[in-house]
Amino acid sequence: MNGSSPSPPDSINIWRTWALTVTYEAGEYTEQKFKAEKTGGGPVIPSPNLDTDLVMACDRLADVLIKASKNPIQMQMDIARYSKLISPKDTGHNEHKEARLLERCPPGHEGKRLVDEPAIILDASGAIIAWYLPDALTDTTQKEIREATYLLSPSLEKSVRADGNWRTNQRLFNRGSEDVGPTPGCINLSPAWFQQGHENVSNPEVSASLKGPSCENILKAIARPAAIASAALRVMHPEQY
């Protein structure tokens, strides 16, 4: 028996397997717990592949999803009709057009309504427009997200330029007076990026922000938060899961 530590490729393969397994089983557990609590079913036992922090994160998420599903807020607008009245080029800053849209697709209540607890927003047909899930993330998950964000600081800093476009122009980003929090910037993170403007490139590639010596650390840092996000998507929008 070889007692030496795994070679780097073996370590990467083990980590990939762990990440995929945990992502799947976190979604499975959250969905089963959501359905059980919604229908009055029995207790759901989490997989041993999920550690305590991840189980607690899934439990919190499932609880908030349940509360949201029991608090529907219906609007009179038809989201399918509304989507046909707008285009990808709409900025939301044309006051005249926004007023016309509001007139043609009224929200169904007077003035603004404060929503301060989990809820789902429905259109006139009962289709879910949005899930509102305050406090759905545990403190541990929020800490992991912050730590992962700090790993992106070098890439974020490089993305902002004085002559940048509408996404990366320096004047669009400001730091607080105390210079705290994540570095401002705009980057794309994708494991399968379609390169536009390049000839003879037909297959997706990893986006530039995920290339380099720190990419593996970034991917490891976001694995657990990504599993939570995937679990939420499994319940909220199974077709996109």
Side-chain angles (χ1 to χ4, degrees), residues 155-232:
S155 296
L156 289 167
E157 187 173 6
K158 291 179 182 178
S159 71
V160 178
R161 300 187 299 272
D163 60 345
N165 58 24
W166 62 272
R167 292 179 301 158
T168 59
N169 195 291
Q170 192 174 43
R171 63 184 177 82
L172 301 177
F173 297 89
N174 293 312
R175 297 209 65 152
S177 57
E178 298 180 359
D179 198 32
V180 296
T183 302
C186 178
I187 57 177
N188 294 302
L189 301 177
S190 174
W193 186 261
F194 283 98
Q195 299 189 65
Q196 297 180 349
H198 294 267
E199 295 182 1
N200 302 321
V201 178
S202 58
N203 296 323
E205 290 193 14
V206 175
S207 57
S209 299
L210 283 179
K211 293 180 179 179
S214 62
C215 66
E216 187 176 336
N217 290 333
I218 293 171
L219 291 174
K220 287 182 177 179
I222 66 175
R224 291 162 58 90
I228 298 300
S230 182

Side-chain angles (χ1 to χ4, degrees), residues 129-152:
I129 301 174
W131 291 71
Y132 178 58
L133 306 173
D135 297 324
L137 301 179
T138 62
D139 291 341
T140 299
T141 302
Q142 293 181 50
K143 180 181 178 182
E144 290 175 340
I145 292 173
R146 284 194 298 270
E147 291 175 349
T149 303
Y150 288 130
L151 290 176
L152 298 172

Side-chain angles (χ1 to χ4, degrees), residues 72-77 102-103 105-115 120-123 129:
I73 299 174
Q74 188 140 24
M75 305 177 74
Q76 294 180 1
M77 66 182 297
L102 187 61
E103 182 180 353
C105 301
H109 55 78
E110 296 295 331
K112 296 180 179 179
R113 176 174 177 178
L114 175 64
V115 180
I120 52 174
I121 312 300
L122 311 177
D123 78 345
I129 301 174

Side-chain angles (χ1 to χ4, degrees), residues 22-33:
V22 165
T23 298
Y24 171 77
E25 294 191 350
E28 185 84 357
Y29 173 65
T30 302
E31 182 188 39
Q32 290 179 0
K33 188 173 178 66

